[in-house]
Amino acid sequence: MSQSRIRNFSIIAHIDHGKSTLADRLLERTGAISAREMRDQVLDEMELERERGITIKANAVRLDYAAADGREYHLNLIDTPGHVDFSYEVSRSLAACEGALLVVDASQGVEAQTLANAYMAIENGLEIIPVVNKIDLPAAEPERAAAELAAVLGGSSDEAIMISAKTGEGIDELLEAIVSRLPPPEGDPAGPLRALVFDSFYDTYRGVVCYVRVVDGQLNEGESVLFMATDVHAEAADVGIRRPVPERTGRLETGGVGYLITGVKEIDLIRVGDTVTIAGFDAPEPLEGYREPRPMVYSGLFPTDGDDFERLRDALEKLRLNDSSLMYQAETSKALGFGFRCGFLGLLHMEIVRERLEREYDLDLITTAPSVAFQANTVSGQPVTVRSPQDLPGAGSLVSIEEPYVKVMIIAPSEYTGTVMELVQSRRGELQEMTYLSPERVELRYSVPLVEIVFDFFDQLKSRTRGYASLDYEPDDYRVSDLVRVDILLNGMAVDAFSAIVHKDKAYVYGKAMVERLRELIPRQLFDVPVQAALGSRIIARETIKAKRKDVIAKCYGGDVTRKRKLLERQKEGKKRMKMVGQVEVPQDAFVAALRLGD
Amino acid sequence: MPSWPPSDSVTSNLAPPLGEVARAKRGTEGVSSPDDPALADDAADLKSAYLHIPFCARRCPYCDFAVVTPSERTSPVARYVTALESEIVMEDPWGPLDAVNLGGGTPSTLQQHQLAALLKALASHHTVATGAEISLEANPEDWTDEYAVQLVAAGFTRVSFGIQSFDPAVLASLGRQHTPEHAAVVVDVARRAGVASVSLDLMYGAPGESEDSWRQTVERALDLGPDHLSGYALTVEPGTELSRMVLAGGSAPDPDIQADRFYVLAAAAAEAGLIRYEVSNWAKPGHHCRYNLATWAGAEFVGFGLGAHDHRDIRRSRNHRRLDRYLESIERGERPRLGSEALDPWGREQERVMLGLRRVAGVVTGGAGTALLSSAEGGRLVAAGVLERDGDRIRVLDPMLTDAAARAVLSVSEGDC
């Protein structure tokens, strides 16, 4: 297929605005088989995949479309994840496309969450087709939605395609627009192979399956390929497309999209953003935009039951097969025993990992307050990476602490400019640039310490702009900052898992907020428990958890015995999820108390 | 086989003797202190029966017992009493009974002939021991001289009045129908009629209660000279009107205040010569409630009536809580069972210690007690002065923290001892 008849695109839509219904409808309209047959077939295949324990991930689907001009086109629909933690993955998926459908609900209009991806698409040079969905709804206001899209995209509201993915109305027009408005790929068919890896996952039977977009040259089965960033050589064992049923084609043409299986088993060796080329060729320049997977947030993961340490290790090993951005190394805490210090892309990623470990591997875990990677400069001249507050060298050998900064881009309605600036300044942000994208929309660029934005910044930004601001950030540099470690003492004993590295100006406020929060979160014990915050040996805040005075059910007679026992059993189960720290029972969520200081 | 009711009636029974089996074991007569360990342990051999009388003029906002109020009363009381008599004879004969307790609901909503009929059914089918404790719960507003005399004639030896408070505001917040004036006369009325043992129930920590009003309630209750006293912390049970009010933002009982109230009551009761023998119960020597001691000793008992529980052949069973289902089952000739459970031997051992720790007398250490003492949590409880080992017994020193020990008992495994 000539590149002129290929269109690579993604769908950008707010959750619930009909992305998957639209994808289904496009599949159905372009499929040679009926809607029901297709559905059955797809489901059957998924059933099979489930039985074989394969991850279901149809992230790039080819639609064969006979256009009104009488020609056959290959339309490659590429899926994208949808959260700021995964913005790098989104950017790579978008880099595999020439165009995007920006879908909004006719009754809801433009939503903030869609905008970050839409702007990213524009930044990647994609052509955007505005689409107004759900025009069949009684509450639909298609004209208003189209006008909003036009305001965002800077075009005219006539450009929007009006559809109902549910009824199928407008789908034909949309397919024609994909062909006529989106540009074809413009790779060099004669050049050496360069293919972009935009997604990868681990399959128990096949090893790593990656999705690629061929930019230049062709990808043929049987050839020896090279993954340039990781310098991994392998054979292209299986090359094909999905429609969404996998179809082994043995070859992907210039501009085409499909899967590549090489037999490589370690997901870490095949990274999103990497360039695939032919081994042995005069290596071409890799495609632009590759980034080493780099954790932004570190946190300790400890089993509530110390005996589960080995199970946790196994579970992390298995999870990592499918998630190359997850990093971990063994860590020991005086308070929590043996566990792992883990690196995550962001808090959502951390939440997802923790949830999967608990649900899929039946582990009961304690997560410690997230931190970022600081760098400690010591008298020996040897810098030390500090991923956990405990790793901070003592005052005797410490010269200075550097902290990571990030470049932050915020796009918000201009009426919120003041609010946003206030927020970012409170987070030690330095304004770099401010641009009015339109009279109504402003783009603010800042340099901000990473530690100030990884926790609740996104939530704060959303709530202060009524959801209308979008955020993206990328690593900048390390800078020396006036940082200190605040320790927390429980019942007179320092609890390493509660320590945090914070800016000196915020230490007092932080310490005070932490001890107050812990007083609320830690249940009353059989004795008074002092909770203190300390800078070195100096106590900067103190609260006391008063001893509990009543813990008894007033009545227990014949009929109550079974009920009382069951009630106590339930309460006992609740206690199981507590961790004994010294003589004090501490609930799991107290260890991430620092995250909830604003509540 | 002892006959019932005893021919010498009740007047000579101011100090009800122990149950026959227990008495044989102890081999001594005499009046025991309610917190006597031997008394507590021997109660395991008592045989008792519980009868549930679900009828109430209205449901109190804190109550989650099986209760039938006039609005939901689809069957006449008579039909229920008949059903109860039928249920009594469905159980294999089990006696002689050392204690019979009528609870509710409000047993005093029944007419004396109905109560007498129920006792008669128990006596003729299961037999009742000489000098047995025959007790009922009563609301002050139902209590008259005539009613009291009739009940004594029917064989009742003990009455427990739901006084709750002498503060009209507290009574109103608890949804109680009687006035402090009602409450003030009931003890005298009972004594005149010849009731051998009179108990008062008080409740603390209710909305509207102040420390002063609680002190006055305690003082007035003790001035009446009860033989027995129960003081309960108001508890928010799920599904009750009170729990709905709390969920809607109403004030919940404050556990610290309830602890304060308990210590006020405990000090005053001791001053008045009442001896605490369980978390919430005090008695003069000889006036301990046998039925309750039996429960805490893990004794088996039979239970009849709506939502009633029983404990027979190491199985704990419970009846239907819905009146129509209960009545229909009985009228079909079936036991109105809703469910039952039998604990394994270790579960029973844990339950023995869990229940026994509620008593001032504590409990023989045994397997679960030994496991508790050797557990980390047990060590902490001892260190904190909540739990004490004394010879072959363990006991809870601070009754307000009993459940901390109870949970620890339920946490230990058989291998731990």
Side-chain angles (χ1 to χ4, degrees), chain B residues 354-377:
Chain B
M354 173 192 98
L355 288 171
L357 284 176
R358 290 187 68 88
R359 306 177 302 199
V360 173
V363 65
V364 172
T365 310
T370 305
L372 170 65
L373 287 172
S374 57
S375 71
E377 184 64 14

Side-chain angles (χ1 to χ4, degrees), chain A residues 492-508:
Chain A
M493 191 183 91
V495 181
D496 52 10
F498 284 137
S499 296
I501 295 172
V502 300
H503 193 264
K504 197 178 166 197
D505 293 348
K506 296 187 172 183
Y508 176 75

Side-chain angles (χ1 to χ4, degrees), chain A residues 549 551 554 557 563 565 571, chain B residues 64 232 280 351 400 407:
Chain A
R549 300 187 52 219
D551 180 5
Y557 301 118
R563 224 168 53 138
R565 202 189 64 240
Q571 293 170 345
Chain B
D64 74 334
Y232 301 116
S280 308
E351 199 175 85
M400 285 289 95
R407 276 191 293 275

